[in-house]
Amino acid sequence: MKRNENIVMGIKISNPDKVIFKNPQVTKIDIVKYYEKVAPFMLPFIKNRIVSVIRKPDGYKGDKFFKKHLETKNKGIGLIYLDNDKGNKEDYYYIKTVKGLISEVQMNSYEFHIWGSTIKNLETPDVMVFDLDPDEKLNINAVRMGVKDLKKILDMLNLKSYLKTSGGKGYHVVVKIKEKMNWEEFRKTAKNIALLMEAKWPNKYTSNIRLKNRKNKIFIDWVRNTRSSTSVAPYSIRLRDKCSVSMPIKWSELDKVEPNEVTIEDALKRIKRKNPWEDFFK
Ligand code: ATP
Ligand code: MN
């Protein structure tokens, strides 16, 4: 590797050739460069939102761990202290700039999960995420049907929704909430939407998280729309068996794109096309 090739956004990338995914092979520098290139698209969704990351410091052979707290405060990262249940202050952090994002990747954070509110309006969430988790016996077509049924309900409620692959086993349906709501109202709204699904199609969907209620059904996961819960960010890589991305896609692609199909190379091609989430923040 040429000198300077492993300096990205002014940050020196250590162990650039470390293998993070074995087959097909993806190295740490591949991931850094991926995030550098998708940053203009990804940053609006993660910027100034409390983040939890998944780190994998030893690459493909090592363990991964979920991380909510910061130990090194780099440029482009913000810190925030919040009261926990016991009344003690706990620190959380958020990414402010591309540099902050790259500094996280340099520290082996490859997967990014975010809150539904920004730090400026921490108690007024604005991004609602629904996830569909099927009973093991159901196939992907049942999940796709679920996504379509959910969209019908959201359309009926005049809520514009956006679709992304989870990069794992399913799809996420995301709604930008324009109404000012506190977390309790936000959570109840999400719950009521799941309840509507359940009421309309009781054999297909459940709003109950318990596995015993899920026999042959899909759980409409609304619970993540709770204060301090997270969902994987658009454009984030998933640390699963292969290097797939949670990718914004068009509604018309639902039947064509598998949940873990979009790779980092595909994602970089996709960002050159018309952005299916273009008007998300408008
Ligand atoms: P899939 O489509 O494969 O189900 P997903 O993104 O829908 O992927 P998970 O990755 O299982 O689902 O995550 C479920 C929820 O838990 C998400 O809201 C995520 O932000 C959160 N989460 C993931 N890992 C952890 C963890 N280790 N600790 C706490 N919360 C986590
Ligand atoms: Mn899921």
Side-chain angles (χ1 to χ4, degrees):
M1 182 173 295
K2 274 188 246 117
R3 253 179 93 223
N4 297 333
E5 248 185 28
N6 50 12
I7 296 179
V8 177
M9 299 295 300
I11 296 160
K12 179 154 193 305
I13 307 303
S14 60
N15 301 311
D17 300 323
K18 179 160 61 190
V19 178
I20 312 302
F21 293 90
K22 187 75 180 161
N23 190 19
Q25 180 171 293
V26 178
T27 62
K28 181 174 176 182
I29 195 74
D30 293 334
I31 294 183
V32 171
K33 296 214 159 139
Y34 164 75
Y35 279 118
E36 183 191 23
K37 287 185 191 125
V38 292
F41 297 86
M42 182 178 186
L43 215 62
F45 294 98
I46 64 166
K47 194 173 76 174
N48 302 332
R49 290 177 192 269
I50 294 177
V51 68
S52 296
V53 298
I54 304 184
R55 286 195 174 169
K56 209 167 192 302
D58 299 319
Y60 75 96
K61 11 182 199 358
D63 290 335
K64 58 180 184 185
F65 58 93
F66 204 74
K67 200 170 165 306
K68 303 200 289 187
H69 305 294
L70 192 72
E71 64 271 335
T72 330
K73 188 163 175 317
N74 289 305
K75 227 176 162 181
I77 300 283
L79 261 180
I80 180 169
Y81 293 87
L82 302 177
D83 286 328
N84 63 22
D85 302 342
K86 296 180 188 92
N88 299 319
K89 293 269 182 228
E90 237 182 290
D91 64 294
Y92 293 86
Y93 69 106
Y94 52 95
I95 291 167
K96 295 195 280 192
T97 61
V98 191
K99 207 166 173 157
L101 173 63
I102 300 300
S103 71
E104 268 302 313
V105 187
Q106 154 54 20
M107 291 188 298
N108 309 301
S109 303
Y110 303 125
E111 185 171 322
F112 297 89
H113 292 249
I114 43 167
W115 276 39
S117 66
T118 60
I119 49 130
K120 217 172 171 183
N121 297 300
L122 200 63
E123 306 308 333
T124 319
D126 63 337
V127 178
M128 191 177 278
V129 182
F130 294 95
D131 171 47
L132 290 86
D133 276 340
D135 176 37
E136 285 170 358
K137 281 187 247 136
L138 295 180
N139 67 20
I140 193 65
N141 290 321
V143 178
R144 285 176 169 139
M145 190 67 228
V147 169
K148 287 173 202 167
D149 286 342
L150 172 58
K151 184 174 190 292
K152 264 185 232 155
I153 298 282
L154 294 169
D155 286 349
M156 202 175 79
L157 297 169
N158 258 325
L159 292 169
K160 184 161 185 196
S161 52
Y162 298 80
L163 178 65
K164 69 180 175 75
T165 63
S166 75
K169 292 195 286 256
Y171 301 91
H172 294 161
V173 176
V174 186
V175 180
K176 175 77 172 74
I177 299 294
K178 290 178 178 143
E179 199 90 13
K180 276 221 155 107
M181 290 185 206
N182 63 32
W183 277 107
E184 199 40 41
E185 293 159 342
F186 186 76
R187 182 184 146 88
K188 274 193 191 145
T189 303
K191 181 178 185 175
N192 283 331
I193 290 166
L195 283 168
L196 270 175
M197 293 276 291
E198 186 181 274
K200 199 160 158 65
W201 299 283
N203 302 324
K204 293 206 282 182
Y205 308 115
T206 175
S207 62
N208 192 311
I209 195 164
R210 293 172 70 183
L211 279 170
K212 73 171 182 55
N213 293 65
R214 208 176 293 182
K215 290 246 156 63
N216 288 314
K217 292 182 192 171
I218 297 173
F219 166 52
I220 309 300
D221 182 356
W222 56 272
V223 186
R224 56 177 71 201
N225 297 295
T226 307
R227 191 179 186 274
S228 90
S229 290
T230 57
S231 290
V232 71
Y235 305 97
S236 174
I237 284 172
R238 302 307 301 267
L239 288 162
R240 304 284 177 92
D241 14 308
K242 60 172 193 159
C243 187
S244 47
V245 171
S246 180
M247 189 74 199
I249 60 173
K250 291 191 284 192
W251 277 105
S252 59
E253 293 180 301
L254 173 61
D255 290 329
K256 297 171 204 147
V257 180
E258 299 295 325
N260 66 350
E261 181 181 314
V262 181
T263 62
I264 52 178
E265 290 84 12
D266 298 332
L268 293 175
K269 282 183 203 147
R270 280 176 170 272
I271 56 172
K272 294 191 178 129
R273 303 187 205 150
K274 187 169 161 39
N275 180 359
W277 287 35
E278 198 169 45
D279 55 356
F280 191 86
F281 288 107
K282 286 195 186 123

